[in-house]
Each structure stands twice: as structure tokens, then as C-alpha cells.
Amino acid sequence: MISIEKVDLSSKKAVNEFVEFPFKIYRNIPQWVPPILSDIKLMLNPKKHPFYEHSEGEFFVARMNGEMVGRIGALENKPFNEYHDTRQAQFYLFECVDDQEVANALFNRVFEWAHARGLNEVVGPKGLSPFDGYGIQIEGFEHRQMMVMMNYNPPYYVKLVENLGFQKEVDFVSCYLHRDSFKMPEKVHLVAQRVKEKGTFRVVTFTNRKELKAYAYQIGEAYNKTFVNNWEYYPLTQREIDFVVQNLLTIADPRLIKVILYGEKIVGFLFGFPDVSAALQRAKGRLTPWAIIDLLAEMKRTKWVSLNGAGILPEYQGRGGNALLYSEMDKTIKEFGFEHFELTQVAETAVQMRKDLINVGGIPYKNHRVYYKHI
């Protein structure tokens, strides 16, 4: 007998059970990187997460004979629907034992939730902010998850979702680069050099968090505008921009963040993040003082880096800004002693960037698929 219960977000016990359930699913999967539990709890806190200032969400668990066997979140992003003239619900935080009936029960509850709000489509996995990661992994299960910037799931999740009638909406492909195979065409550096000599574009680099913080507001504004033509775009509120930037400042090595200026305006950026997956696995989701020390040490010893967030404002593309961006990517790869690089979750709708990454030696090695279903 399967029952579906709405999570009481005011109950610490209920929230903890929801948040900690993945440890049951992934206990024997070495590629999984546990999220910071406090980050997931924040997603379930309407009083603190900026998403709930404009939108709604509820969360559900599935039980079989009293035991929790699955969970899911149902979200309505109202600014996204208004901007794209759609009536979508989103699902997120889906975790489930390998049982189709359990998955059916969870999603049927989401469909009911969506119908009650006049929505006619369910899309996901898709979270509450741009840094939550997209999609169900469909390829590359043998590779470790890149921190918590993307989702990881057992291969059987694909079957559970597709058996419910979900179809592909968009794929997010991650590319692997080894330092020795990275090959930036000399022409790119020449164009970048000419652009800098003209004096219209320039690159700003940072040595510490204080310098980075001085540009935080402008970076957030540029981030919001850069992806205006992307599938996932919607106009972020100021609180959401602040939230994204705060997350960026928390996990960033300032030396790996670069911004491109046109005059005094930020028109592009490159975000690099040292991969601290190994330390996150040791922390098991809890940021104790010892775990924080271990995370800081891992930032210095890791040989992996994630380039997750690179873009030029649409109106400045084709004017040399792209060449400058890729030239700076080349410098990041060569200057800091990393050996392995992941270009994390590039949407297939970003056609030119996908081509560029392959041209410089990137090998597609992970794929995450966002699904949709008309209801």
C-alpha cells in the first residue's frame, strides 16, 4: 500500500526526513556527492528562500507500509510562466526506490497539484535558482558528480520518468578537458589581443573576496541579462540576484572569477570553481568546523576545476568579446596547476558554445535531460 503525504514544512522532523532520504538511495554509489543539508532545508523554507516571494511550492513523500520510499517537490515559477507565456509546473528533488508504482504515485500527486493551479504541463527536474542544476542524468554515470552544481541519479530514474510519458525538453551536456589536450587556436589569442589593444574591452581579475565583492552587484546584473536567450531564462528579482551572488561568493576562489568590461559596464564573465567533491563526500552533508577546514584544504589540493558559468551579453557577441572570454579560459586552465576541467552543464540550445568547446578539445561525457509532459 503506497500513501503520499504532504511535508509539513513547520515540522523539523518532517523536513529532516525529506532532506536526508537520498542517503538511503545512494549509500552504495561512490559517484554521488551529498548536498549540504542546510542548503536543501533552505529550499523548503518559504520564509527565507527568495523563490517564494513570487512563486509557490509544496513537497511530498511516498510511504510503503510506513517506510519512506520516495520524495518529490512541485513548484510553480510564476515569473517564468509570465515571461514565456506558459502554464508550467516544475518537479524537483525527485528521489525514489526502483519501483514504478511509487514513482507513479509521486508524479500523480504533482499532476493533481498542477491541475489545481490551472497548469497544463510539468517540466523538470528544475530547481528554485539558476545554481540548482538541471535534469535527470542519462549518460556518464561512471563519473563522479561535480560538487552540487548538477544532479546525480541512478540509471533507473530514466525508466521511471519515461514510463510515465515524459519526453525530452532539453539536454545539458558537460564536457571534459584534460590540460594536455586543450588546444586554443592561436587566432583566438590574436583576436583577443587586438580587442584589448583597442581599449573597448578589458578583463578584470581578482585576488581576494573583498575585490570580488565590490563587483558583486554588477556581476549579478550581468548574469541575469546574459542568458536572456536561453531556454531556462526568466528575469530574476533583486533578492534572487543577491542570492545567486552570495552563493557564488561562498564557494568561489576569487582568482578563478573573471569579468569582461566594455567601458565600465560588465558584459561578460567566467566562473571557475575548484572541485571540492571529495571533501563534500567526507562531510556527508554537514558543515561542521572540521568539514569547513577540510573543504578549504581541498580547494588547494584538488586537480579538478569546474567552469560553470561563462557568457557574453548577446549584444556584445561577435564583437571580439567571445574571443576574449575563451582566451581567458585558456589562461585559467594553464595558470593554476589544474589537470582536469569540466565545462559544466551547457544547454544544447547554446549551439555556438557547444561547438566552441568541442573545437578546443572538450569531450562530451555527461548528459542531463530535462523532461516535460502535457497533463
Side-chain angles (χ1 to χ4, degrees), residues 165-342:
F166 279 91
Q167 302 177 61
K168 171 187 170 181
E169 171 85 3
V170 64
D171 283 357
F172 286 81
V173 174
S174 299
C175 291
Y176 169 75
L177 274 165
H178 189 275
R179 179 182 58 193
D180 296 338
S181 62
F182 182 76
K183 50 182 188 300
M184 182 66 68
E186 187 60 31
K187 179 181 177 181
V188 173
H189 292 301
L190 292 174
V191 171
Q193 185 60 36
R194 284 200 295 267
V195 166
K196 285 195 285 189
E197 287 172 355
K198 286 181 180 179
T200 49
F201 288 100
R202 62 189 177 94
V203 177
V204 177
T205 58
F206 307 97
T207 59
N208 56 58
R209 291 184 185 277
K210 183 178 179 181
E211 292 175 355
L212 180 58
K213 201 167 184 178
Y215 276 88
Y217 177 80
Q218 291 183 68
I219 291 173
E221 289 286 320
Y223 184 94
N224 193 24
K225 295 174 182 177
T226 296
F227 301 111
V228 67
N229 294 326
N230 283 23
W231 163 87
E232 69 271 23
Y233 174 80
Y234 73 93
L236 302 176
T237 66
Q238 188 57 53
R239 269 263 289 144
E240 286 178 305
I241 292 173
D242 293 343
F243 184 79
V244 168
V245 171
Q246 187 57 49
N247 281 344
L248 171 68
L249 292 173
T250 300
I251 61 176
D253 179 339
R255 299 173 305 160
L256 299 178
I257 307 296
K258 300 182 180 183
V259 298
I260 296 174
L261 299 185
Y262 187 87
E264 295 303 315
K265 177 183 177 182
I266 293 182
V267 299
F269 48 80
L270 176 65
F271 299 158
F273 303 95
D275 178 25
V276 294
S277 298
L280 287 169
Q281 288 178 323
R282 292 189 290 270
K284 295 180 170 60
R286 291 173 170 81
L287 281 184
T288 65
W290 290 113
I292 293 172
I293 292 171
D294 190 32
L295 283 166
L296 293 174
E298 189 68 25
M299 288 180 71
K300 296 180 179 180
R301 61 178 170 245
T302 182
K303 296 299 181 183
W304 280 79
V305 64
S306 167
L307 298 177
N308 184 13
I312 297 286
L313 288 177
E315 59 267 35
Y316 293 91
Q317 295 175 9
R319 298 165 63 177
N322 285 53
L324 195 54
L325 181 72
Y326 285 111
S327 180
E328 290 303 317
M329 186 183 295
D330 183 38
K331 291 178 183 178
T332 296
I333 287 175
K334 292 177 177 175
E335 286 178 4
F336 294 100
F338 296 111
E339 295 179 12
H340 309 281
F341 304 84
E342 180 179 286

Side-chain angles (χ1 to χ4, degrees), residues 58-95:
E58 290 185 356
F59 302 87
F60 306 95
V61 299
R63 298 190 190 277
M64 185 182 292
N65 301 321
E67 180 185 358
M68 185 174 169
V69 289
R71 73 175 198 186
I72 200 166
L75 309 169
E76 180 187 359
N77 187 324
K78 294 180 180 180
F80 179 92
N81 282 339
E82 182 178 353
Y83 184 84
H84 292 276
D85 193 24
T86 57
R87 289 186 289 150
Q88 290 183 357
Q90 300 171 197
F91 74 88
Y92 192 57
L93 298 176
F94 169 65
E95 304 286 358

Side-chain angles (χ1 to χ4, degrees), residues 3-16:
S3 62
I4 303 296
E5 301 173 2
K6 178 183 169 181
V7 178
D8 179 359
L9 300 184
S10 66
S11 166
K12 185 177 180 180
K13 179 181 178 181
V15 169
N16 284 341

